[in-house]
Amino acid sequence: MSKFRFAVLASGEGSNLQALIDEVHRRGVASLVLVLSDNEGAMALERARLASVPAVALPPLPREGRKSYHQRVGKVLAAVEPDLIVLAGYMRLLPPEFIAAMPPIINVHPSLLPAFPGLHAPLQALDYGAKITGCTVHLVDKGMDTGPVICQEALPVLPADTADSLHQRLKSLEHAALVRVVKAFALGKVKIIGRKIELEEDTDGNQDSVNQCI
Ligand code: GRF
């Protein structure tokens, strides 16, 4: 079992979480120590339970503010001492105090940021008439999908694409990119210097595989 510990926040289907379970956790590259969801019915929680990963449903209380809710989330996370937090389809904006108190937090988004931030990015790309879109893994800051980019991969938009078909193809790209980035963190190859992200080369001079998607 790897010593590098990561936690995942997810609100929905959890296909990105599944990729991390299969390609990172089960392969012993890093240990997934907690999956937390704000949505009791999230399939992500079921995926965690099936993999024997601790799964916590923590819905916000009625009229509970973002700050108070994330103080509770922060306590649960702090107890498992993660080295990295991954937002994998987590549908809430994090307050700055939470980000400051936590280890690095990364997010995966289905567009080439800064294009099409926020909700329904594949639909935004279609409506705009974009011919190429893609996915981004980035560090989380206090903005909506504004943090420093770690990894991006591009994908052509096909004439017959619907928002759903495009999103499904983007998700396959997201899974691979997210797995590469979490592995790079686990291997100590990611250096964060302000807004600049440096990815170390292998000792034999080869570029680390994470660099292929930059
Ligand atoms: C992904 O497209 C992710 O980029 C976005 O929400 C979606 C979550 O998908 N933030 P899943 O729950 O991982 O299947």
Side-chain angles (χ1 to χ4, degrees):
M1 211 29 124
S2 164
K3 281 195 186 142
F4 188 88
R5 301 163 68 83
F6 72 106
V8 169
L9 304 187
S11 301
E13 186 192 336
S15 68
N16 278 285
L17 166 68
Q18 191 67 54
L20 293 173
I21 289 172
D22 294 342
E23 302 299 327
V24 180
H25 179 70
R26 285 205 167 113
R27 288 177 191 266
V29 182
S31 299
L32 177 53
V33 291
L34 180 74
V35 173
L36 185 149
S37 183
D38 54 335
N39 170 14
E40 279 168 312
M43 213 212 289
L45 290 171
E46 194 50 31
R47 292 180 192 268
R49 289 182 195 118
L50 285 171
S52 306
V53 170
V56 173
L58 193 68
L61 301 168
R63 291 180 300 284
E64 185 176 29
R66 188 159 65 105
K67 195 169 158 185
S68 157
Y69 173 65
H70 283 95
Q71 277 169 355
R72 295 198 293 125
V73 172
K75 278 188 191 149
V76 177
L77 282 171
V80 297
E81 300 182 339
D83 300 303
L84 176 73
I85 295 169
V86 180
L87 308 186
Y90 183 65
M91 303 309 285
R92 291 171 191 274
L93 200 58
L94 300 176
E97 304 81 5
F98 177 92
I99 297 168
M102 290 289 138
I105 306 173
I106 61 172
N107 180 45
V108 61
H109 183 77
S111 77
L112 293 175
L113 292 170
F116 315 129
L119 291 176
H120 311 302
L123 180 62
Q124 290 186 57
L126 278 183
D127 285 349
Y128 194 85
K131 302 296 179 216
I132 292 179
T133 184
C135 73
T136 303
V137 180
H138 66 94
L139 266 186
V140 171
D141 66 9
K142 64 180 169 37
M144 165 89 77
D145 301 323
T146 54
V149 171
I150 304 171
C151 171
Q152 290 188 309
E153 293 227 22
L155 183 82
V157 179
L158 303 177
D161 261 330
T162 61
D164 273 354
S165 68
L166 182 57
H167 198 179
Q168 283 315 312
R169 296 209 320 287
L170 284 167
K171 278 197 181 188
S172 301
L173 226 59
E174 288 186 313
H175 301 164
L178 192 56
V179 163
R180 275 202 294 276
V181 171
V182 174
K183 280 185 179 172
F185 269 97
L187 297 174
K189 294 187 169 201
V190 183
K191 297 245 175 318
I192 303 166
I193 308 140
R195 276 195 71 91
K196 203 165 156 241
I197 314 273
E198 279 182 9
L199 296 147
E200 275 177 23
E201 290 179 358
D202 289 345
T203 41
D204 57 6
N206 293 329
Q207 294 244 301
D208 181 77
S209 61
V210 76
N211 279 331
Q212 290 168 5
C213 66
I214 293 188

